[in-house]
Amino acid sequence: MVEELMCLVFKFKFKFLIKRRNIKESQTGGNYFMQTRAIFGFLGFIAVISFGIAIANYFVKYINKRYISKLGKEKQEIVVLYRKIMKIIIKNHKLAGTVAIFAVLAHFIIAFTSIRTSITGIIAALFMLTIFFLGVYGAFINKKHKGMWLKIHRGMAFVLLIAIVIHII
């Protein structure tokens, strides 16, 4: 019911934009609005999942340091399994961050071209861009794993998490 109502509202808004831009409805490809909305949502979903994998890097290391490394030999199977999962997450941290930033940029481009930008989305995208550039700086320019850049990179990731939640709500 709510989804049908939202769809009607968006269709009305889309028809208003078509009239405002003097575009005939036949030029939009008929189902253009629904396709754009699906791609828009998919890119947002990919960005959130990729960011979740990237931020999991911090959590798996923290849990390993705080709890897993203190487990006894009787829990060795759990330790081995956890470290395999941890290794996969750490190995794919840069890839997940890169996928997240490209998905956010594509998400933003669609939002901008369809006049659907929001302040919360722009703020979240700017945080993600800053985090990405700090990560590039740390990975390729200043290869020391300690320093102020890493503290800012991690701190902004948590701020981005809050910004994404606010944007989605």
Side-chain angles (χ1 to χ4, degrees):
M1 176 85 176
V2 174
E3 192 171 285
E4 292 171 348
L5 183 62
M6 297 257 312
C7 194
L8 285 172
V9 169
F10 285 125
K11 281 183 180 177
F12 173 77
K13 186 176 179 181
F14 183 67
K15 285 183 180 182
F16 174 75
L17 291 174
I18 289 172
K19 288 177 184 175
R20 202 171 97 194
R21 291 183 176 183
N22 295 324
I23 300 171
K24 293 180 183 171
E25 200 164 343
S26 61
Q27 291 175 318
T28 63
N31 210 7
Y32 172 79
F33 170 74
M34 295 307 286
Q35 292 170 353
T36 303
R37 185 171 174 221
I39 293 170
F40 183 74
F42 177 72
L43 288 169
F45 177 76
I46 293 297
V48 167
I49 296 299
S50 299
F51 174 68
I53 293 168
I55 200 168
N57 183 51
Y58 172 79
F59 290 112
V60 295
K61 287 178 179 178
Y62 179 80
I63 291 168
N64 183 59
K65 185 177 180 181
R66 188 92 171 167
Y67 302 106
I68 301 298
S69 63
K70 295 178 183 174
L71 291 176
K73 293 192 182 217
E74 65 277 355
K75 307 271 186 173
Q76 195 61 30
E77 292 175 8
I78 296 171
V79 171
V80 169
L81 178 64
Y82 185 85
R83 293 214 172 124
K84 283 182 183 179
I85 294 168
M86 185 175 102
K87 188 176 181 180
I88 292 168
I89 291 171
I90 291 170
K91 181 181 175 187
N92 292 304
H93 175 75
K94 292 175 189 174
L95 176 64
T98 304
V99 168
I101 196 67
F102 281 111
V104 162
L105 290 174
H107 182 78
F108 173 76
I109 289 167
I110 291 172
F112 187 76
T113 57
S114 63
I115 312 172
R116 291 187 61 188
T117 54
S118 68
I119 294 295
T120 58
I122 292 170
I123 291 169
L126 289 174
F127 276 127
M128 190 173 278
L129 270 172
T130 305
I131 292 166
F132 178 76
F133 286 126
L134 281 168
V136 168
Y137 171 76
F140 300 110
I141 298 169
N142 181 8
K143 295 184 181 187
K144 296 176 186 173
H145 288 283
K146 297 204 177 200
M148 186 56 83
W149 75 268
L150 184 60
K151 291 177 184 174
I152 296 170
H153 179 76
R154 287 179 178 166
M156 285 189 74
F158 287 103
V159 173
L160 175 60
L161 190 61
I162 294 166
I164 289 172
V165 169
I166 291 170
H167 175 62
I168 292 172
I169 293 173

Short mmCIF file of all heavy atoms in Angstrom, two decimals, residues 50 53-54 86-98:
data_model
loop_
_atom_site.label_atom_id
_atom_site.label_comp_id
_atom_site.label_asym_id
_atom_site.label_seq_id
_atom_site.Cartn_x
_atom_site.Cartn_y
_atom_site.Cartn_z
N SER A 50 29.21 -2.13 0.18
CA SER A 50 30.66 -1.99 0.02
C SER A 50 31.27 -1.23 1.19
O SER A 50 32.34 -1.61 1.70
CB SER A 50 30.99 -1.26 -1.29
OG SER A 50 30.51 -1.99 -2.37
N ILE A 53 31.48 -3.54 4.16
CA ILE A 53 32.64 -4.44 4.08
C ILE A 53 33.91 -3.68 4.42
O ILE A 53 34.78 -4.18 5.16
CB ILE A 53 32.74 -5.08 2.69
CG1 ILE A 53 31.54 -6.03 2.46
CG2 ILE A 53 34.05 -5.83 2.51
CD1 ILE A 53 31.38 -6.49 1.03
N ALA A 54 34.02 -2.45 3.93
CA ALA A 54 35.23 -1.65 4.19
C ALA A 54 35.36 -1.31 5.67
O ALA A 54 36.45 -1.42 6.25
CB ALA A 54 35.21 -0.38 3.35
N MET A 86 38.65 -12.88 8.68
CA MET A 86 39.34 -11.61 8.88
C MET A 86 40.30 -11.33 7.72
O MET A 86 40.36 -10.20 7.20
CB MET A 86 40.11 -11.64 10.20
CG MET A 86 40.77 -10.33 10.56
SD MET A 86 41.52 -10.40 12.19
CE MET A 86 43.20 -10.63 11.75
N LYS A 87 41.01 -12.34 7.28
CA LYS A 87 41.97 -12.18 6.18
C LYS A 87 41.25 -11.75 4.89
O LYS A 87 41.74 -10.88 4.16
CB LYS A 87 42.72 -13.49 5.97
CG LYS A 87 43.85 -13.40 4.99
CD LYS A 87 44.60 -14.72 4.92
CE LYS A 87 45.76 -14.62 3.96
NZ LYS A 87 46.51 -15.87 3.86
N ILE A 88 40.09 -12.33 4.62
CA ILE A 88 39.32 -11.97 3.43
C ILE A 88 38.86 -10.51 3.51
O ILE A 88 38.97 -9.77 2.52
CB ILE A 88 38.10 -12.92 3.27
CG1 ILE A 88 38.58 -14.33 2.92
CG2 ILE A 88 37.15 -12.40 2.21
CD1 ILE A 88 37.51 -15.38 3.03
N ILE A 89 38.38 -10.10 4.67
CA ILE A 89 37.89 -8.73 4.83
C ILE A 89 39.05 -7.73 4.70
O ILE A 89 38.92 -6.72 4.00
CB ILE A 89 37.14 -8.56 6.17
CG1 ILE A 89 35.83 -9.34 6.11
CG2 ILE A 89 36.89 -7.09 6.48
CD1 ILE A 89 35.10 -9.43 7.42
N ILE A 90 40.16 -8.01 5.34
CA ILE A 90 41.30 -7.11 5.28
C ILE A 90 41.85 -7.02 3.85
O ILE A 90 42.17 -5.94 3.35
CB ILE A 90 42.40 -7.55 6.26
CG1 ILE A 90 41.92 -7.33 7.70
CG2 ILE A 90 43.71 -6.81 6.01
CD1 ILE A 90 42.81 -7.94 8.75
N LYS A 91 41.92 -8.17 3.17
CA LYS A 91 42.43 -8.20 1.80
C LYS A 91 41.56 -7.37 0.85
O LYS A 91 42.08 -6.75 -0.08
CB LYS A 91 42.49 -9.66 1.32
CG LYS A 91 43.03 -9.84 -0.07
CD LYS A 91 43.02 -11.31 -0.44
CE LYS A 91 43.44 -11.48 -1.89
NZ LYS A 91 43.29 -12.87 -2.32
N ASN A 92 40.27 -7.34 1.09
CA ASN A 92 39.34 -6.65 0.19
C ASN A 92 38.93 -5.26 0.67
O ASN A 92 38.02 -4.67 0.09
CB ASN A 92 38.10 -7.53 -0.03
CG ASN A 92 38.45 -8.77 -0.81
OD1 ASN A 92 39.00 -8.68 -1.91
ND2 ASN A 92 38.17 -9.93 -0.24
N HIS A 93 39.59 -4.73 1.67
CA HIS A 93 39.25 -3.41 2.21
C HIS A 93 39.36 -2.31 1.14
O HIS A 93 38.44 -1.52 0.96
CB HIS A 93 40.16 -3.09 3.40
CG HIS A 93 39.98 -1.72 3.95
ND1 HIS A 93 38.90 -1.36 4.71
CD2 HIS A 93 40.76 -0.61 3.85
CE1 HIS A 93 39.01 -0.09 5.05
NE2 HIS A 93 40.13 0.40 4.54
N LYS A 94 40.48 -2.29 0.44
CA LYS A 94 40.69 -1.25 -0.58
C LYS A 94 39.69 -1.41 -1.73
O LYS A 94 39.15 -0.41 -2.23
CB LYS A 94 42.11 -1.31 -1.12
CG LYS A 94 43.16 -0.92 -0.11
CD LYS A 94 44.55 -1.11 -0.67
CE LYS A 94 45.59 -0.93 0.41
NZ LYS A 94 46.94 -1.24 -0.06
N LEU A 95 39.46 -2.64 -2.15
CA LEU A 95 38.51 -2.89 -3.23
C LEU A 95 37.10 -2.46 -2.82
O LEU A 95 36.40 -1.79 -3.60
CB LEU A 95 38.52 -4.37 -3.61
CG LEU A 95 37.50 -4.80 -4.66
CD1 LEU A 95 37.80 -4.11 -5.99
CD2 LEU A 95 37.49 -6.31 -4.81
N ALA A 96 36.70 -2.80 -1.61
CA ALA A 96 35.36 -2.43 -1.14
C ALA A 96 35.22 -0.91 -1.06
O ALA A 96 34.18 -0.36 -1.45
CB ALA A 96 35.09 -3.06 0.23
N GLY A 97 36.24 -0.22 -0.58
CA GLY A 97 36.20 1.24 -0.52
C GLY A 97 36.12 1.85 -1.91
O GLY A 97 35.38 2.83 -2.13
N THR A 98 36.84 1.30 -2.86
CA THR A 98 36.82 1.81 -4.23
C THR A 98 35.46 1.58 -4.88
O THR A 98 34.92 2.48 -5.53
CB THR A 98 37.94 1.15 -5.06
OG1 THR A 98 39.19 1.38 -4.40
CG2 THR A 98 37.99 1.71 -6.47
#
